[in-house]
Amino acid sequence: HDKQYDAALAAYAKAASLDASRADAHHGSGRILREHKKDITNALASMEKAAALDASNPAVLTDLGASLYEAKQVDRAIETLQKAVATPDYANPMGYAVLGLALKDRKDYATSITHLEKAADLAPKWWMPRWGAAWSYFGLFKKGCPCGAEDQARVQKMQAHYDAMTALGGKDPGLAERVKMLGSGLKIK
């Protein structure tokens, strides 16, 4: 909490060396490695140890899923995050957001939107879920469309997510171009 990450890593390492069955020590170490040290390889190793010890802990599953996604193990990330979000009373926006992004990467746009919009509801000041949702709405369009009322509703939802994203400080010139194109009535080629 005091941003003394090296000292915290040393303390977690000491705790794990004294009792290797402490999932919280592996989890804490993995979080610091992923979030602050950007050491995905070692973060993933720590998270996998934590999950092996506490496979039903939604916080551990969420952080393991995020580490897997950052390590480009998208299918394992999806499987892990689906377990996390299925936990009763789950309310971690990061878990929903990363699951949504992983599903978007797999071109399961409709399902990704559900998770990204849930993340946006849980964290209304975070632009990233809005960005992912806008791209997922774009992914739903077929060539030669938008066509009809359903597609026009998608254009409006995509625009709303894009507007919320930019209001929160997010930027993506490629997305901006597509939003403008669809908003002006052009069709996907």
Side-chain angles (χ1 to χ4, degrees), residues 82-141:
Q82 285 174 330
K83 289 177 191 170
V85 302
T87 304
D89 302 320
Y90 185 83
N92 187 327
M94 185 182 72
Y96 285 112
V98 176
L99 177 55
L101 292 177
L103 290 165
K104 176 185 75 63
D105 291 354
R106 288 292 179 249
K107 298 183 180 359
D108 185 352
Y109 300 118
T111 309
S112 74
I113 289 167
T114 301
H115 295 295
L116 290 161
E117 288 182 340
K118 179 72 173 175
D121 289 344
L122 289 169
K125 295 184 180 183
W126 188 20
W127 66 265
M128 194 275 292
R130 304 284 187 173
W131 170 84
W135 273 114
S136 291
Y137 275 109
F138 181 77
L140 290 173
F141 290 104

Side-chain angles (χ1 to χ4, degrees), residues 148-165:
E150 187 175 319
D151 278 351
Q152 289 309 316
R154 284 189 190 121
V155 170
Q156 290 174 350
K157 288 178 181 178
M158 182 180 172
Q159 179 75 54
H161 281 294
Y162 175 77
D163 291 344
M165 177 199 88

Side-chain angles (χ1 to χ4, degrees), residues 39-73:
D39 181 351
I40 301 307
T41 301
N42 287 317
L44 183 55
S46 291
M47 291 299 181
E48 286 178 328
K49 287 177 189 173
L53 295 165
D54 193 0
S56 63
N57 184 324
V60 170
L61 292 172
T62 298
D63 288 322
L64 173 59
S67 297
L68 288 164
Y69 182 72
E70 290 179 22
K72 304 203 182 327
Q73 296 183 36

Side-chain angles (χ1 to χ4, degrees), residues 14 19 30 38 50-51 65 78 92 115 125 143 149 169 175:
K14 181 70 173 171
D19 183 357
K38 308 300 181 201
I78 291 170
N92 187 327
H115 295 295
K125 295 184 180 183
K143 286 186 179 182
L175 180 58

